[in-house]
Amino acid sequence: MIALQKSFLVLLLVILASAGMPSIDAAHADTIVVPPGNRSVTQPPIPNASAVRTRAFNTTYDEKYQKIIALLKREKKLITHIKQVAAVYGVDPIHIVGALVGEHTYNVTAVGSVQTYYVKALSYSGLDFAFRYKGVKVQDFVKRPEFAACEQAKGNAALWSCRDTVWTQHFKGKTVDGVAYEPMTFQQAFFQPFFAGQTFGLGQISPLTALEVTDLVNKVSGYDKLTPDNPQAIYRDVMDPDRSIVYIAAIVRDAIDAYKQQGFDISHNPGITATLYNVGQPRQRAAALREAGRKLPVENYYGWLVNDKLDDLKALLDSGS
């Protein structure tokens, strides 16, 4: 009887398959796996701000690319650390290398050695500053009623993502209660206490991005949770090279998870994770992609370079100790 039931089940599955019906596994496999490689044949346009910054320092993108590659080749301990941290966060180390190469090709120029970043980290440790806009600290600003719904968010990434969205919808470029808010991002308004375009350390991580992944870093690596009340601790973590790698891994992990929740597996495409590392807001972007009909995500100029240079970047990991 059991053998007959098994035979009937096999026959039923064959009939369903031949009729074009999905198999049991396929019926549950609703995640789109984003394949490796670039969707665009040619590199998307590079923002003018990046070009201006590069010309100002009398250099080229290729020179900057070669400098970060040379730095990673020299710093064998850094490559080892990247591999170790990537394993802990369950991501391919190529995603971390891609983020570093993209940042130092299009934003900052790599310094001579990782040791320089330790020195820079110390220079910020004793400064007295706060994250504020027009005299109001961000931790007080987000107590406004417009942000009330965000308190239901689960986790720091969702919480700060919600606050970012509320700022855009209710304050950016608007006048509210007699206060004119400039048409700038939430990050630009509150998280650049020294100068514009502010990201720091080896990973060029913004304070807002660090806040978004602090609970993940706390859970996985045991670092103290960051808060706007202690901005010095935020700068310490993003500027210390060892800690910076941990945050890069957490940012990549968070982006992969955000897209997975919307039905996209981007873990095999470092150009897409590099794009998200560059532009941020993975939750909003993943949701918008799904609403657009679940099209494949497309890399920007930054991620395109990472995919285009993938053989070079993999060689760095292969040569590491």
Side-chain angles (χ1 to χ4, degrees), residues 121-293:
L122 290 174
S123 69
Y124 280 84
S125 61
L127 296 179
D128 183 19
F129 61 95
F131 298 126
R132 65 175 80 234
Y133 177 74
K134 294 196 172 185
V136 181
K137 291 182 178 180
V138 67
Q139 55 267 50
D140 295 326
F141 189 80
V142 295
K143 292 177 182 177
R144 293 180 60 111
E146 291 90 343
F147 295 93
C150 295
E151 298 307 315
Q152 305 303 315
K154 295 181 179 179
N156 270 46
L159 173 63
W160 286 102
S161 178
C162 177
R163 290 169 172 173
D164 192 355
T165 300
V166 169
W167 165 266
T168 300
Q169 293 176 344
H170 295 278
F171 298 97
K172 182 181 178 181
K174 297 180 173 64
T175 298
V176 182
D177 297 334
V179 178
Y181 294 94
E182 297 166 88
M184 57 175 53
T185 66
F186 187 52
Q187 175 176 298
Q188 290 169 336
F190 285 98
F191 293 98
Q192 295 182 160
F194 302 113
F195 51 86
Q198 199 174 9
T199 51
F200 290 95
L202 184 64
Q204 291 296 292
I205 300 168
S206 76
L208 177 57
T209 304
L211 285 169
E212 289 175 344
V213 297
T214 186
D215 50 354
L216 176 59
V217 171
N218 170 262
K219 179 181 178 180
V220 177
S221 298
Y223 293 180
D224 291 341
K225 286 188 178 183
L226 303 174
T227 73
D229 295 314
N230 189 357
Q232 290 79 13
I234 295 176
Y235 280 76
R236 173 203 64 204
D237 278 12
V238 301
M239 295 187 73
D240 180 305
D242 293 334
R243 288 176 177 251
S244 181
I245 295 300
V246 170
Y247 279 87
I248 296 173
I251 293 165
V252 170
R253 176 77 265 165
D254 181 63
I256 290 173
D257 291 345
Y259 269 69
K260 197 67 172 286
Q261 290 170 4
Q262 296 294 338
F264 300 93
D265 181 359
I266 61 173
S267 64
H268 305 286
N269 193 314
I272 296 300
T273 57
T275 296
L276 292 167
Y277 190 86
N278 175 235
V279 299
Q281 300 179 322
R283 278 160 184 75
Q284 294 97 316
R285 296 177 190 280
L289 192 64
R290 187 178 181 98
E291 289 174 8

Side-chain angles (χ1 to χ4, degrees), residues 81-97:
H81 185 49
I82 287 172
K83 291 178 179 179
Q84 292 170 341
V85 172
V88 170
Y89 281 82
V91 300
D92 190 318
I94 196 68
H95 294 289
I96 299 176
V97 172

Side-chain angles (χ1 to χ4, degrees), residues 14-47:
V14 171
I15 293 173
L16 289 174
S18 64
M21 297 293 288
S23 68
I24 293 174
D25 288 340
H28 292 86
D30 58 350
T31 297
I32 295 176
V33 177
V34 179
N38 285 317
R39 307 282 77 80
S40 304
V41 176
T42 57
Q43 186 176 29
I46 300 171

Side-chain angles (χ1 to χ4, degrees), residues 27-85:
H28 292 86
D30 58 350
T31 297
I32 295 176
V33 177
V34 179
N38 285 317
R39 307 282 77 80
S40 304
V41 176
T42 57
Q43 186 176 29
I46 300 171
N48 186 58
S50 177
V52 170
R53 187 162 47 242
T54 300
R55 286 195 300 269
F57 287 93
N58 194 30
T59 185
T60 66
Y61 296 128
D62 185 62
E63 287 177 351
K64 293 167 73 175
Y65 172 79
Q66 295 300 334
K67 281 187 177 181
I68 182 59
I69 292 296
L71 172 67
L72 292 171
K73 282 182 178 179
R74 288 194 303 269
E75 301 285 349
K76 301 296 185 182
K77 289 184 179 179
L78 177 63
I79 293 296
T80 298
H81 185 49
I82 287 172
K83 291 178 179 179
Q84 292 170 341
V85 172

